[in-house]
Amino acid sequence: MRTRTTTVPAVLAATLATVLVLAGCTASGGSPKGTGGSSAAAPAPVSPGGGAAFEGPRPQDQNLLAWTGDPNDAGHVTAQSVAGVAGRVTLVRVVLREQITWSNIWLGLAGIDPGAQLSQNYLGVYDANGTLRASTADVSPQLMTDAIAKPFPLTKPFTAAPGTYFIALLLNGTWATNALTLKATGAGISVNAGLTPPNLRYSTLLTGQTSLPPTVNLADQSTSTINTGWGSQWYAIS
């Protein structure tokens, strides 16, 4: 009997010691030593793009620097009579988020008029002060061929700092209203929602112009022609 009473306490003591050792390995240190475990959650995988969320199509996806909108959405066409736009400067606002070297204006030409008589047709760029920063040569020949989206080179590229700019289009000549057409969205008169001069997104200025004037007064922006359906033309920059 004495042998049994002395052996049982010894066994209990050994068991208790083992429990204490195991408890010490896991207390406040997470997993037992050597397992590599941790009480902190594993970090989420980082995407190749640095974790930024997908933001939809960007101009750079199509080798462009900026645009008025995804060309995939430019499924509509706008047409206007000679009386409606000839000699008027049509302005389309574009906002640059970073500095670029601006070399070309891309226009979505949807249709051509083989019988048109075009002359003194130009594209250009005005800054937020209404100053002409650059323009093309007469683009009349390019408006007679290839109804596609295509670049029109500026006569002299310029460095465009971040900010607001206005792409200008001046048309002159004679053409059939529903033949010479440009790609656009279907926004209609809603294109200027929430905006007033001098910050209209689509507008016209002046009449009787045969070249783009060196300065314009953006406070004179008008929507009268835009609201007849001449609006939301698609442009891009390269």
Side-chain angles (χ1 to χ4, degrees), residues 130-219:
T131 301
L132 184 65
R133 300 295 304 276
S135 63
T136 65
D138 188 348
V139 298
S140 298
Q142 294 96 312
L143 296 178
M144 296 291 294
T145 60
D146 300 327
I148 57 173
K150 54 186 176 181
F152 295 79
L154 299 173
T155 56
K156 185 179 180 179
F158 73 102
T159 299
T164 298
Y165 295 85
F166 295 87
I167 295 175
L169 170 66
L170 176 63
L171 295 178
N172 280 297
T174 59
W175 63 86
T177 299
N178 293 319
L180 179 61
T181 54
L182 306 182
K183 295 298 292 184
T185 69
I189 62 175
S190 64
V191 293
N192 288 309
L195 299 173
T196 57
N199 293 309
L200 293 179
R201 191 172 181 182
Y202 294 87
S203 65
T204 61
L205 285 171
L206 306 172
T207 59
Q209 302 299 302
T210 56
S211 62
L212 292 174
T215 61
V216 295
N217 184 358
L218 294 172

